Amino acid sequence: MTVSATRKDLMIVNMGPHHPSMHGVLRLIITLDCDDVIDCEPILGYLHRGMEKIAENRTIIQYLPYVTRWDYLATMFTEAITVNGPEQLGNIQVPKRARYIRVIMLELSRIASHLLWLGPFMADIGAQTPFFYIFRERDLINDLFEAATGMRMMHNYFRIGGVAVDLPHGWIDKCLDFCDYFLTGVAEYQKLITRNPIFLERVEGVGVVGGEEAINWGLSGPMLRASGIQWDLRKVDHYECYDEFDWDAQWQKEGDSLARYLVRIGEMTESIKIIQQALEGIPGGPYENLEARRFDKARDSDWNDFDYRFISKKTSPSFELSKQELYVRVEAPKGELGVFLIGDHSAFPWRWKIRPPGFINLQILPQLVKRMKLADIMTILGSIDIIMGEVDR
């Protein structure tokens, strides 16, 4: 005969590992008292691929295709941070046209990332319709990426000193058409979601993070700005040419899951404003600083020698990294994406340390879910917006 369970008995439940196609392979060990969460322990590492060590054995050009596998929903940002470090170490100037193209690609990538956050987040809390809607707009962004870079997701488009190729004929007009169309799409999302009473019931007052608490935990991006801290690296660090455009950093002061949703929805609209201004004011000129292209000095081969003419594998362009250390960062969709780089008078970095925003933001999850209901875990986890590819690296 079984003994009936009492309230003192705690239940330990495994949530995950989830399927890798969405947020990634994350496992949560949850301690429950009936429906109340007592403790939560995230288990990481299922998607670890040694990205930092691989960087120490590759030139920057060889490493560029790898970096799009960190955050595979916002690939332009990982490419940007990979080339920004060597550019600052070598004091390489980027042509103005290339900087404008970079800003356009980065903001399109930000919208694509926020869209693929919004759909699964709504599906997590029980709303299936937006999940299908977001792919409509995201497919149009992928069409623009494919026309410009040749790839829909893993672009390999940024280069030290510029970008790989110029924008094709007619691309700017197509992008402007998309911007006009997308603003109606955002209005549709807001009409469908923002004032929905069931949605508000699920997110309002859930997973509250105060401003001081957010700073102490090292949070960044929408997680930080939703807590009342107006900190956007595009405004703070003045990288690329964001200073030349008229736009506002989005922020809210409530600090709950609803505030994080509102920040991301607002950021998509602001990104469209930046893209429209960049497209209308894009200057002529080169798309790459060709002086930055230096072949490996160690080989020192002539144009007509045996190696060059008859061995099929040509040496890829390599850039000697001077002996100094540097930390570079960009405002990625999920927060501050940074790289700590140490050069050693070699084509390979001596150290390549990645600061992924998702990894830092995920730290606060156990504290946020304690004393909440089991159903709130997916709301809070979804509002943090993690991609395990960059968390595990």
Side-chain angles (χ1 to χ4, degrees), residues 1 9 25 57 87 122 124 166 217 227 274 286 304 328 354 391:
M1 185 175 175
D9 291 333
V25 193
N57 301 290
E87 281 171 358
M122 296 306 297
D124 285 343
D166 205 351
W217 278 95
S227 300
I274 294 172
N304 284 320
V328 287
I354 306 163
V391 173

Side-chain angles (χ1 to χ4, degrees), residues 209-338:
V209 185
E212 189 177 343
E213 192 180 17
I215 293 171
N216 291 341
W217 278 95
L219 305 183
S220 58
M223 284 287 289
L224 182 66
R225 290 191 290 278
S227 300
I229 309 297
Q230 300 180 50
W231 180 266
D232 191 311
L233 293 179
R234 293 172 289 176
K235 294 280 191 187
V236 175
D237 284 359
H238 314 292
Y239 64 92
E240 299 302 351
C241 51
Y242 282 103
D243 283 353
E244 299 177 23
F245 308 122
D246 177 30
W247 62 280
D248 300 311
Q250 295 296 300
W251 64 284
Q252 299 285 326
K253 59 179 184 294
E254 290 80 13
D256 57 1
S257 297
L258 176 62
R260 294 191 275 277
Y261 158 81
L262 292 172
V263 166
R264 291 187 178 102
I265 286 286
E267 278 192 359
M268 288 197 279
T269 310
E270 291 301 312
S271 291
I272 289 292
K273 280 171 61 177
I274 294 172
I275 293 168
Q276 286 175 327
Q277 292 173 67
L279 289 168
E280 287 162 4
I282 189 168
Y287 59 87
E288 184 180 18
N289 183 353
L290 292 175
E291 291 179 7
R293 288 191 166 218
R294 302 196 293 273
F295 283 94
D296 192 352
K297 293 171 185 173
R299 299 273 307 202
D300 200 22
S301 57
D302 295 324
W303 285 104
N304 284 320
D305 73 355
F306 180 83
D307 281 358
Y308 187 82
R309 291 171 66 191
F310 300 110
I311 296 180
S312 60
K313 188 175 180 181
K314 307 295 189 293
T315 57
S316 66
S318 61
F319 303 86
E320 188 179 285
L321 302 172
S322 56
K323 192 178 177 66
Q324 53 181 309
E325 54 189 55
L326 177 73
Y327 177 72
V328 287
R329 56 188 185 176
V330 295
E331 183 69 40
K334 293 160 186 63
E336 179 184 323
L337 172 64

Side-chain angles (χ1 to χ4, degrees), residues 14-299:
N14 276 290
M15 184 180 278
H18 300 93
H19 193 274
S21 67
M22 273 296 118
H23 303 302
V25 193
L26 173 66
R27 177 183 170 208
L28 302 176
I29 300 176
I30 303 161
T31 306
L32 296 173
D33 180 5
C34 195
D35 203 29
D36 298 316
V37 180
I38 303 299
D39 193 23
C40 171
E41 182 186 356
I43 307 295
L44 312 176
Y46 292 101
L47 223 54
H48 174 63
R49 294 149 296 172
M51 285 294 179
E52 294 178 356
K53 205 65 189 171
I54 290 172
E56 295 171 18
N57 301 290
R58 302 284 188 281
T59 66
I60 301 299
I61 298 295
Q62 290 170 340
Y63 187 54
L64 264 172
Y66 285 88
V67 302
T68 51
R69 275 77 178 173
W70 303 348
D71 180 356
Y72 35 78
L73 301 184
T75 51
M76 290 293 185
F77 291 89
T78 56
E79 292 183 26
I81 199 69
T82 306
V83 300
N84 282 358
E87 281 171 358
Q88 290 186 31
L89 275 182
N91 196 23
I92 296 169
Q93 300 301 312
V94 181
K96 193 169 184 181
R97 181 177 178 83
R99 284 191 281 125
Y100 269 68
I101 294 173
R102 284 184 178 185
V103 165
I104 293 165
M105 294 300 176
L106 289 173
E107 293 308 311
L108 283 172
S109 195
R110 188 184 309 279
I111 295 170
S113 176
H114 283 340
L115 284 174
L116 208 44
W117 162 80
L118 178 63
F121 174 63
M122 296 306 297
D124 285 343
I125 61 177
Q128 288 293 331
T129 308
F131 185 76
F132 300 108
Y133 282 15
I134 60 111
F135 282 103
R136 187 181 56 190
E137 278 81 27
R138 196 170 188 274
D139 236 30
L140 296 173
I141 295 176
N142 285 343
D143 288 342
L144 289 169
F145 282 151
E146 187 178 16
T149 71
M151 297 288 282
R152 294 179 75 82
M153 277 187 70
M154 313 298 181
H155 311 292
N156 191 19
Y157 185 61
F158 282 52
R159 291 290 183 273
I160 297 176
V163 292
V165 290
D166 205 351
L167 297 175
H169 179 71
W171 192 92
I172 290 175
D173 294 332
K174 276 189 177 179
C175 195
L176 283 169
D177 291 343
F178 164 76
C179 291
D180 294 335
Y181 166 76
F182 184 73
L183 289 174
T184 62
V186 173
E188 187 179 14
Y189 295 142
Q190 290 177 313
K191 185 179 175 183
L192 184 69
I193 301 169
T194 307
R195 299 191 184 280
N196 187 306
I198 302 172
F199 170 72
L200 292 175
E201 194 72 28
R202 288 299 306 271
V203 297
E204 219 166 356
V206 174
V208 178
V209 185
E212 189 177 343
E213 192 180 17
I215 293 171
N216 291 341
W217 278 95
L219 305 183
S220 58
M223 284 287 289
L224 182 66
R225 290 191 290 278
S227 300
I229 309 297
Q230 300 180 50
W231 180 266
D232 191 311
L233 293 179
R234 293 172 289 176
K235 294 280 191 187
V236 175
D237 284 359
H238 314 292
Y239 64 92
E240 299 302 351
C241 51
Y242 282 103
D243 283 353
E244 299 177 23
F245 308 122
D246 177 30
W247 62 280
D248 300 311
Q250 295 296 300
W251 64 284
Q252 299 285 326
K253 59 179 184 294
E254 290 80 13
D256 57 1
S257 297
L258 176 62
R260 294 191 275 277
Y261 158 81
L262 292 172
V263 166
R264 291 187 178 102
I265 286 286
E267 278 192 359
M268 288 197 279
T269 310
E270 291 301 312
S271 291
I272 289 292
K273 280 171 61 177
I274 294 172
I275 293 168
Q276 286 175 327
Q277 292 173 67
L279 289 168
E280 287 162 4
I282 189 168
Y287 59 87
E288 184 180 18
N289 183 353
L290 292 175
E291 291 179 7
R293 288 191 166 218
R294 302 196 293 273
F295 283 94
D296 192 352
K297 293 171 185 173
R299 299 273 307 202

